[in-house]
Amino acid sequence: MDAATARHTLQTASLWRDRALVLIGIVLSAFNLRTAVTSLTPLLDSLGQTLGFGSTMTGVLGMVPTAAFAVFGVATPGIAHRIGLERTALLAMLLATAGLLARAFIGDTWMLLLTSAVALSGMGMGNVVLPPLVKRYFADRVGTVSTLYITVLQLGTILPALLAVPLAQSAGWRVSLGAWSLIAAAAVVPWIAVLWMEQFGQSRQAHALARTHDRAVTAGDEAPELAEPAAAGRVWRSPIAWGLALMFGMTSLITYSMFTWLPKLLVEAGGSPALGGSMVALSSTLGLISALVLPSVAVRIANPYPIVIGCAVAYVAAFAGLLLAPMAAPMLWVALLGLGPSSFPLSLTLINLRTRTPAGSARLSGFMQGLGYSLSCLGPVLFGWLHDMSHGWTWPFAFLGLCLLVLLLGGWLACRPRMLEDTW
């Protein structure tokens, strides 16, 4: 090994060592971004019997995640701009910890709703703040850290769904709901350590940032990545923005409707509660595969609309199987159901593929996620209301079929090879 190679190796090791606390914070926080959702949905049927709520409230509980993500998708940039990315990440994990822990002590339906909202508000903040933290501290390792971050997020979706029912059967539903607060509390620790080191002038992370960023982070702007971009156009005038919002929103609507109602559907068809939880986990596992593969595929295709069509075909096959013969091949139907949301990572990739500037990307991302998550709030509630009104699953799946048509329309508008800045 020559001197230059040795020096490079030592520098690389130092960079990772200097940023280890931030990396740990990002990874632990990513794990906690979906635990409040998938630790609850497999238990909703039994909790409904225990706490005395029906399908309508089940739908409301299924709506809370997307509502929280929509609200805090809009609010978090302002919070982070005021207090800084690291403090916002700390606040997010404190809220997640408090909400998850309090859920273990609830005594009625409204307290379940309130504590879930607290936990999900923290997770909604985390959705927004973690990507710019990766960009700030790991500008030289964006691909590596992003892959790690996405993988851990999916694990945090899968494991609670797998373990919720077994934990409830062995230790009770309170332990099953509250246990995930321990991991959220663990995610608080590295952010406290980072802020403590900065407070006392010992932040090695700041030195690492100076070595890896091309631009400085000014003292007066602690969150430049989330700063309000200069008004260069009206994003809502662009068909690209509306297309992405519709594609993203309908994908989220279908996903959270299925997170909420798939366990109950399988139980009514003769399956066990544990089967419902494991099928939610299987669906999330397929989502992990598409999240890792789709971005690299999308950047190589001028018009990735065939991917959207493939997602719709997977959804239609899954809906038909779950409606007509749910217990004939549940793993096949749920595997197809897990491939359908490949339009989700495609939407996130198109934010950068359809914009020329960082300001345009920020505007498009905010519009897409704010409107998309707002639209998706309707899914679990309407799905449950239609189930109650019809006493079956035909009308709920017909509703999702209409949402697929909207998704296809949105995908057609979003995937055409043109730029936001030319259309706003």
Side-chain angles (χ1 to χ4, degrees), residues 189 309 383:
V189 176
I309 296 175
F383 194 93

Side-chain angles (χ1 to χ4, degrees), residues 232-248:
R234 292 178 173 85
V235 68
W236 58 87
R237 290 183 174 179
S238 171
I240 295 173
W242 283 99
L244 274 177
L246 291 175
M247 184 166 71
F248 182 88

Side-chain angles (χ1 to χ4, degrees), residues 45 53-59 257-258 260-269 322-323 326 378-400:
D45 198 42
F53 63 82
S55 297
T56 301
M57 182 55 69
T58 297
S257 295
M258 288 290 93
T260 304
W261 292 102
L262 180 62
K264 183 176 179 64
L265 184 153
L266 293 174
V267 168
E268 287 192 1
L322 289 170
L323 177 62
L378 300 173
V381 174
L382 284 177
F383 194 93
W385 180 75
L386 289 169
H387 174 60
D388 282 353
M389 292 295 292
S390 64
H391 303 289
W393 299 104
T394 300
W395 282 106
F397 277 114
F399 162 64
L400 294 188

Side-chain angles (χ1 to χ4, degrees), residues 7 11 39 51 104-105 119 125 133-134 150 169 197 259 300 319 342 350 377 380 388 414:
R7 187 161 53 252
Q11 276 189 329
S39 65
L51 299 177
F105 299 97
M125 293 174 70
L133 278 166
V134 172
I150 294 171
Q169 291 174 342
M197 293 172 73
F259 273 165
R300 291 172 170 82
F319 295 165
S342 297
L350 284 171
C377 290
D388 282 353

